[in-house]
Amino acid sequence: MLSLNEFWFILVAVLFVGFFFLEGFDFGVGIASKFVAKDDLERRAFINSIGPYWDANEVWLITAIGAMFAAFPNWYASMLSGFYLCFAFILFGLIGRGVAFEFRGKADHPTWRKTWDWVILFGSIIPPLTFGIMFTALIQGVPIDENMILHAGVSDVINVYTVLGGVTLTMLCVWHGLIFGTLRLMDTLRERCRKVAKNLLPINAILLVAFLGMTFFKTDMFAVHGNILEYLFMVGILVYIASGYFITRKRDGWAFLMSGLIMILLIASVFIGLFPRVMISSVSEAYSLTVQSASSGHYSLKVITYLSLALLPFVLGYQIWSYYVFRKRVDHKEHMEY
């Protein structure tokens, strides 16, 4: 039977998966707005395509961190203090990006808008890149001592393997965002998104294979959960091939579903590889934080479980409703706010 500790670990994993599935295409659209759009009208169309969604999508991250704080205080304390600079970069990126979305259309001056466009670009690159580096460091193992204190040096966080993980996640976000653009944009801009997404297929395939290969040699994920990860790897290959097929056939809805599944499989694999640990110690396996050693007491878990189950339907219902209300495509030839 599933324990409350395991239930909350799964819930935290689901929240992070949801964040990268939803905010992943936001990041991709933000990056594409700089490189794929050719003029200000097209750039505004990109931004407006995620205008009704991006702030609600970020709530998934807030909820995931809040769930960690409530259910796994030792995990929360060790991870957020040990990766303090990483989280600071992520917050600065998210804050700058949000401010840029709101401010770029407040003055009709080229320099003003170009400045905020650069803020949107870096605010869309820094969070997925940093998260990719941080999650890759987690599955590789970081120096945690017997007091659950993380003493990570630069080389523990930033090395060839972790940077590859960060770049892979960022490029998948770009690809995911471009395919989202085919659902929300029109005419030539829609076609351009589809073309660039198609061109990224071989590049992202190389990154994914390289990352999975290094994961096999750099971590114990396959040794601990080899069977399930191998199945997920095979499913991922089929899904990736299907995504290429649907992009080529201009079946944009199915292509978006496939790119989303790739994101889900990648992030889910990280948490599957960690379990039953939440943080792996490179000093000694005995110092690794587990779902048992890092969790709150049984009574606390029971109370927050009732609260979360009561509130979850309202949160999901609101977000589903917002996507339904703003389902219309964005026409870059019309007047737009941003």
Side-chain angles (χ1 to χ4, degrees):
M1 184 177 178
L2 194 69
S3 68
L4 286 178
N5 311 70
E6 294 167 342
F7 169 78
W8 275 94
F9 177 80
I10 293 172
L11 183 58
V12 170
V14 168
L15 290 169
F16 272 110
V17 167
F19 170 72
F20 283 105
F21 177 87
L22 295 171
E23 192 69 3
F25 66 71
D26 284 350
F27 293 141
V29 168
I31 297 169
S33 68
K34 185 66 178 178
F35 296 111
V36 180
K38 292 183 177 180
D39 54 39
D40 186 64
L41 279 175
E42 292 185 350
R43 197 162 288 118
R44 282 189 288 169
F46 269 109
I47 297 171
N48 279 20
S49 71
I50 59 172
Y53 313 129
W54 65 268
D55 47 356
N57 292 342
E58 289 182 1
V59 172
W60 286 74
L61 175 61
I62 298 170
T63 309
I65 299 298
M68 286 175 59
F69 173 77
F72 300 101
N74 292 323
W75 184 10
Y76 173 90
S78 296
M79 185 169 170
L80 269 76
S81 60
F83 290 108
Y84 184 85
L85 284 178
C86 290
F87 279 104
F89 280 122
I90 290 168
L91 283 176
F92 286 139
L94 292 175
I95 292 169
R97 182 168 160 269
V99 171
F101 285 152
E102 300 297 333
F103 275 37
R104 79 175 298 276
K106 302 305 181 185
D108 190 13
H109 191 281
T111 303
W112 173 270
R113 292 190 173 179
K114 286 180 180 179
T115 300
W116 290 116
D117 287 339
W118 280 106
V119 175
I120 291 172
L121 174 64
F122 286 109
S124 299
I125 290 176
I126 291 172
L129 180 65
T130 307
F131 264 122
I133 290 172
M134 189 167 57
F135 280 170
T136 306
L138 282 179
I139 60 176
Q140 181 178 236
V142 286
I144 302 173
D145 64 19
E146 67 277 9
N147 297 314
M148 301 185 184
I149 298 175
L150 172 57
H151 303 278
V154 175
S155 61
D156 295 310
V157 180
I158 300 177
N159 51 63
V160 174
Y161 176 49
T162 60
V163 171
L164 176 61
V167 171
T168 301
L169 181 59
T170 305
M171 291 301 295
L172 283 176
C173 287
V174 175
W175 181 60
H176 192 38
L178 288 167
I179 298 175
F180 178 78
T182 65
L183 295 174
R184 291 281 290 157
L185 302 172
M186 298 176 66
D187 303 327
T188 56
L189 200 51
R190 179 187 183 188
E191 293 297 324
R192 202 179 310 141
C193 284
R194 188 182 293 119
K195 181 181 178 181
V196 178
K198 185 178 178 181
N199 291 339
L200 284 179
L201 278 168
I203 297 173
N204 283 346
I206 292 171
L207 288 172
L208 282 168
V209 170
F211 177 68
L212 288 171
M214 289 195 72
T215 299
F216 182 83
F217 292 104
K218 289 282 189 177
T219 74
D220 64 356
M221 288 177 60
F222 285 90
V224 177
H225 298 288
N227 289 336
I228 187 170
L229 290 176
E230 288 170 6
Y231 290 139
L232 289 178
F233 177 66
M234 289 186 285
V235 171
I237 292 175
L238 295 176
V239 171
Y240 200 80
I241 293 172
S243 68
Y245 171 82
F246 289 126
I247 292 172
T248 304
R249 295 285 181 171
K250 299 183 179 181
R251 302 286 297 275
D252 301 322
W254 283 101
F256 179 72
L257 177 61
M258 296 301 107
S259 67
L261 283 175
I262 290 294
M263 193 71 72
I264 290 171
L265 289 170
L266 180 64
I267 304 302
S269 296
V270 171
F271 284 92
I272 290 171
L274 282 173
F275 187 81
R277 305 157 298 183
V278 293
M279 294 184 73
I280 300 171
S281 174
S282 59
V283 178
S284 171
E285 181 63 29
Y287 300 155
S288 295
L289 277 66
T290 68
V291 293
Q292 299 295 331
S293 64
S295 71
S296 297
H298 180 77
Y299 181 76
S300 298
L301 292 176
K302 189 175 180 179
V303 171
I304 61 176
T305 299
Y306 287 138
L307 289 174
S308 63
L309 291 178
L311 295 174
L312 187 60
F314 296 99
V315 176
L316 292 178
Y318 161 76
Q319 191 148 29
I320 292 170
W321 176 249
S322 68
Y323 275 90
Y324 174 77
V325 170
F326 296 102
R327 65 190 182 278
K328 184 181 177 182
R329 291 182 181 273
V330 176
D331 188 351
H332 63 280
K333 297 176 183 178
E334 294 181 353
H335 173 73
M336 288 175 287
E337 176 184 354
Y338 290 106

